[in-house]
Amino acid sequence: MRVSTVDATGTTLNAYTGHAPVDGPAPELPWAVYLAGRDQRFRLLALDLDAKTDPSPAHHDADVLSTLLDTEGIAHVVCRSGPSDGRHLWLALDGSVDAATAATLARLARHLCPSLDLAPLTNPATGCVRPPGAPHRDGGTSTVLQGDLATLTRPTTTPEQVRSLITRLSQLVDDNVTEPTTATAPTTPLPVDQHGHLYLPGARRALPPVSETALHDQAAAAGPEGAVTADASAVLWTVLVGAAAARWRHHDIAALLPTAPGLEHLRSARDRGHRRPRPADGPSSPTAVLRRQWHKAVQHVATTARRTGTDPTFDTRADQLTAHVRAVQARADATPGRWTRGAGPGDRRVLDVLCTLALHALSADLEADTRRVALLAGVGRETARVALQRLTRDGWIALTLPAAGPHGARWSVTPPTAAAIHRDTTSDRSQADPRPAGAGPAERLVLLSALLRRTQDAAHDLFTSGSGLGHHLGNVYARTSHDPTTVIDLARATASAPHQLRADLQKLEAVGLVEHRGGRWRRGRHDVRDVLAQAVGVLGRLSDRAHRYRVERVAWAWWQAEHAWMTAPRRTHPSRRAGAGQLDLLPQLVRTGPSSPLGAHPRRPDGRADYRASRAAVAASLAAEHSPAIDHGTPRRAAA
């Protein structure tokens, strides 16, 4: 077993560096047992839920996981870890699972239960947890709250049950996350009904099977005397997302509010392990909660690309690519100083964007033009261009095909000098356990959501260069969350030195973006980035940049179409065309040759292309597209 250590003052540390034989006397200091053997296969699984806040989400997360384990018929023990009021869920295996299976279980469970500590289940060499009865460094011991210790000494849980549990977790992740997207808002305003509720236009369809099942999920309703039997909020979200995607309206859900078991979260609120009825009026009333959650669900579906169709190779390909991107991210996180000095912060943003695009495309080789990368990373196009060159030079990415004509350059996050990911989707996993069904896509969604959230948090006007706080502080802010985190954990995540990171956090604290409590750092209760950006005069900088890049992109495409028209055989296109802003009597749909909906490219008196005039015409066309229509019954067409 591993035994904790003490510092020079005699204070017990949360560091288990000593060892003691299992068959010897119990140590006086806190001690922990290994979860995996020397063969790095796990025979014990411990879900360590940390209590970092008051009230702690560890209680709720423990209830969710315990209910899930009961559903899968897995015997387990729930312990109160110590005076911090955290929770440990223990299960022993009649057999063993490999490190990859244990890590997948941890990552998927962490996505649903944020208080879960990943370290014990993702480190087969040193992962350990204090078992029932072991002392805590702050006093007290790990106390059994639920379950029989005999299930740990005489285990009955099989590896197949663990894989079945992972499959169930994969379904929950897929149902509640869906496919993340880089869009942050619908391209057009969403319509509202006569009562002001958002909806998606289209004919109403039947609920998806997952949402239909959730709607009638009796486990979501309050049990005897109001006891909690399931995560009612997660069940509600599954119902609402499916209903919005099926083109239901707010009143369709409201009609089911009094009786549908899956809508219990609207009728009652969780209160210390039980559910209490919501008040009839006010912001916490059932109708008010439904309105807020319904609008969130509609906006979520409108801005989310949901995966459809079936592909027998998708699971394997998603598994392989996700493992590769995770390895790239782990290597980057383990490179101290590379991303914190000079141009490093911008380089890390660009690397994260390429990893995100690779997960979106499910390919390590992808096309990405400089402007697109710059906008997603929240940096300028020149910064993105130079960052791509540096990342290529240092071996993080590789240029597989340079930009040509209308196509951007192709980049690979699998450099030729690195170990290539396997591309044979039919081969088995050598020397490993069978992959649980659905685990690959679910892990892809988890990693994609994390990368996308981090990129979007950093890509804000406030964290631009110049008058803003800069790219580095934006990267530090993006690594924080509303859960308290120690400087050591943040330093490890940002590849920063602790003393440097502490100074960066103090700068963010000075402007109200983070707060320091109890030796831990967390985000402020209110997001004041827009207010601060307006105060320093940078609010709207990224949107202005996006508009300018769009004008440049359309203008370039216009010239490419003009060049194609000039070089095409004369018989495939009309010899005369309408100029920019002129009425075109020949519909674009009947043309067989290359052309542009903007018409002929502007020319100077000497016949050469007039790029300044083309940019002005494109800008006017885009402005006309976004200007308010005069006739509210018929949208106005663009001038060009």
Side-chain angles (χ1 to χ4, degrees), residues 7 22-23 33 110 121 139 170 254 263 278 283 301 320 323 330 402 419-420 428 439 494 502 533 542 544 572 597:
D7 61 14
V22 175
D23 55 358
V33 296
R110 166 69 176 271
L121 290 174
S170 301
L263 305 183
R278 294 185 181 274
V301 174
Q320 293 174 346
D428 295 331
T494 57
R502 190 173 289 106
L542 292 182
D544 292 343
T572 63

Side-chain angles (χ1 to χ4, degrees), residues 452-468:
L452 189 57
R453 187 185 314 113
R454 192 167 77 208
T455 302
Q456 291 177 342
D457 285 347
H460 190 277
D461 296 326
L462 181 62
F463 302 125
T464 53
S465 57
S467 301

Side-chain angles (χ1 to χ4, degrees), residues 329-400:
Q329 287 289 315
R331 178 189 166 205
D333 291 342
T335 311
R338 172 62 177 84
W339 318 109
T340 58
R341 297 190 298 265
D347 293 354
R348 183 57 192 268
R349 289 197 191 184
V350 170
L351 178 63
D352 288 349
V353 165
L354 291 179
C355 288
T356 303
L357 294 177
L359 290 170
H360 264 296
L362 204 65
S363 173
D365 187 80
L366 61 141
E367 179 180 329
D369 64 272
T370 303
R371 289 177 177 82
R372 181 187 183 194
V373 172
L375 291 176
L376 293 175
V379 300
R381 65 172 181 268
E382 182 63 16
T383 300
R385 184 187 68 82
V386 178
L388 289 169
Q389 293 178 348
R390 278 192 298 265
L391 292 172
T392 303
R393 180 196 63 200
D394 295 344
W396 294 96
I397 60 175
L399 176 64
T400 59

Side-chain angles (χ1 to χ4, degrees), residues 20 114 129 221 263 304 325 338 476 499 506 519 530 536-537 554 593 595 610:
V129 177
L263 305 183
T304 300
V325 172
R338 172 62 177 84
V476 173
H499 69 278
Q506 289 171 352
D530 286 349
V536 297
V554 174
S595 186
D610 191 339

